[in-house]
Amino acid sequence: MPKEYKNEYQPLLAKATKDRRWPKLPNKSLLLAVCAAGIGGTFQYGYNISVINAPTAYVQDFINQTWSKRYQTQISDNGLTLLWSTIVSIFTLGGLIGAMIGGTLSVRVGRKGTLLTNNIFALLAALLMGLSHPTGLFELLIIGRFISGLNAGIAICVQPLYLGEIAPTSLRGAMGMGTSIFITGGIFTGQVIGLRELLGKEEYWPILLSTTCIPAFLQLLILPWFPESPRYLLIDKGDEEGCKKALKQLHGIADCDSEQEDIEKERNNLSGLQAKKPWELFADRSLRWQVLTIMVLNAAQQLNGINAIYFYAGYVFKQSGIPSDKIPYATVGTGACECITALTCGMLIDCLGRKVLIMGGYTLMAICCVLFTLTLTFQEASPVVPYLSMVCVFAFILSFGLGPGGVTNILTTELFTQNSRPAAYMLAGSVNWSSFFFIGLVFPFIVLGLKQYCFLVFLVICCLVIIYIFLVVPETKNKTFLEIQNEFQSSKKRQIGFSDGAGTILLSTSI
């Protein structure tokens, strides 16, 4: 290369080398947009899961007293259990319906518009649950929990969609982890607020259940200051000016042009195509592996044993010598542990990649399943064993948060293009909530029949998922949505080979 050209390009080469060594931090506006979407989005999901645990005894007393005043007789134990189970589990039914309508809403009123509209459900649920005690109507708790589920189902469908579309390609993993971070943050906050020192006393339980209005108000105040998804504006609405303005606000003036080029390439590729319906995903042969992948990963997210760990946590803490009145504080420790892991995963995901983290998470969970089965089996063998069980509890939660807890939602965003992504989230959400309901229904019987050996069932599930991810799921780090789609297409062409002369089809997925 001539000297004059070398001198001319040297500053550019130096800049490129510097950019490679020092990944750019996200724009402040982008970080605030993630927080604005999360506080009234998946934070509500995590908060509503955990906040119902603290007032269990008080709500059951309220149902008993209300029943006695209304019918002049005591409610039976089975009747009380049925009503309480309905209050808890109706949340999952609401979530399933919310997931089914979330994708459609995100296409019609936009990602940001859906998140803002969704707060109506949160405010209505808070009002109904807060009024249940003064009105003496425990039915309001059932309706309120159902509406809370609707809110959570829509949020967990639309928020990852919004975060995945506003983030630049190089930071899509870290920004997408906002979904998991706010879920775990919601769980942790619900556990803390439910302590006796705060709102965990008997007289405060209606206030505790109605605090879901606070994140809703915060989102209504903050999110309107941030733009709609640039991809939605350009690809779905054809608003080039709005897209450019949104990219400048979210990514900064320097980086908006390259991102707009990527979005325009995707728009040109999808020219003339309409947004798909969930059932149309099954009919599209080019998407069958992506569809199967999100169904497997979302089902596994609920069926991998994390719910069993929380079920056994109280028993393990008690066996370790923690007094019964101090167990809630140890439970808060599990919430903090999961929250910290989600943050750690957010920092690692764009360095290590999605595939490494999710496979590593499931591998560690499989190991924990074996160790936890052994420690529960030999619980009385030595005074040290209960403490080993406690270590297994925290290790399992850490492993879940490191991979399956956060990466699953990001992959749902990345494996699909704009016209099929909302339908994919509706499908993924439906599978996730159905699995959540299924494990809640079946798990007590699994524990009754297998005792501590129930973790061997979860061991098998974790191992099968590891094999599936290794064989089928490609690495998506630093790839555009079109590049990921093309990799699936090229992989599909190499999947089918024929054996020598026999004509037997062999599957050998190329990663």
Side-chain angles (χ1 to χ4, degrees), residues 266-430:
E266 188 173 346
R267 180 179 66 167
N268 295 335
N269 190 64
L270 299 172
S271 179
L273 298 177
Q274 297 295 317
K276 290 182 181 290
K277 304 292 191 294
W279 54 88
E280 291 175 341
L281 297 180
F282 293 101
D284 190 341
R285 292 176 64 83
S286 68
L287 294 175
R288 60 181 176 179
W289 282 110
Q290 291 95 313
V291 170
L292 181 59
T293 297
I294 64 163
M295 290 179 69
V296 168
L297 294 183
N298 278 275
Q301 195 177 35
Q302 295 296 341
L303 304 178
N304 57 28
I306 188 66
N307 298 297
I309 284 290
Y310 280 114
F311 177 86
Y312 270 103
Y315 166 76
V316 169
F317 294 148
K318 191 173 181 180
Q319 289 294 107
S320 301
I322 298 174
S324 297
D325 60 331
K326 302 296 181 186
I327 287 178
Y329 301 96
T331 305
V332 169
T334 63
C337 174
E338 195 172 351
C339 199
I340 291 167
T341 313
L343 287 165
T344 305
C345 185
M347 291 185 284
L348 293 175
I349 192 165
D350 285 318
C351 299
L352 298 179
R354 287 65 157 148
K355 191 167 182 175
V356 170
L357 283 177
I358 196 167
M359 281 186 65
Y362 274 115
T363 302
L364 291 172
M365 287 165 70
I367 294 168
C368 289
C369 283
V370 175
L371 296 177
F372 201 45
T373 302
L374 291 173
T375 55
L376 288 175
T377 303
F378 300 104
Q379 194 77 199
E380 308 296 332
S382 167
V384 179
V385 176
Y387 295 100
L388 294 177
S389 296
M390 191 187 297
V391 171
C392 286
V393 167
F394 283 96
F396 195 99
I397 293 169
L398 282 167
S399 304
F400 175 78
L402 190 64
V407 179
T408 302
N409 285 320
I410 294 170
L411 286 175
T412 307
T413 300
E414 294 182 328
L415 297 185
F416 295 88
T417 49
Q418 190 76 8
N419 69 318
S420 55
R421 196 174 295 121
Y425 265 103
M426 291 168 70
L427 180 60
S430 299

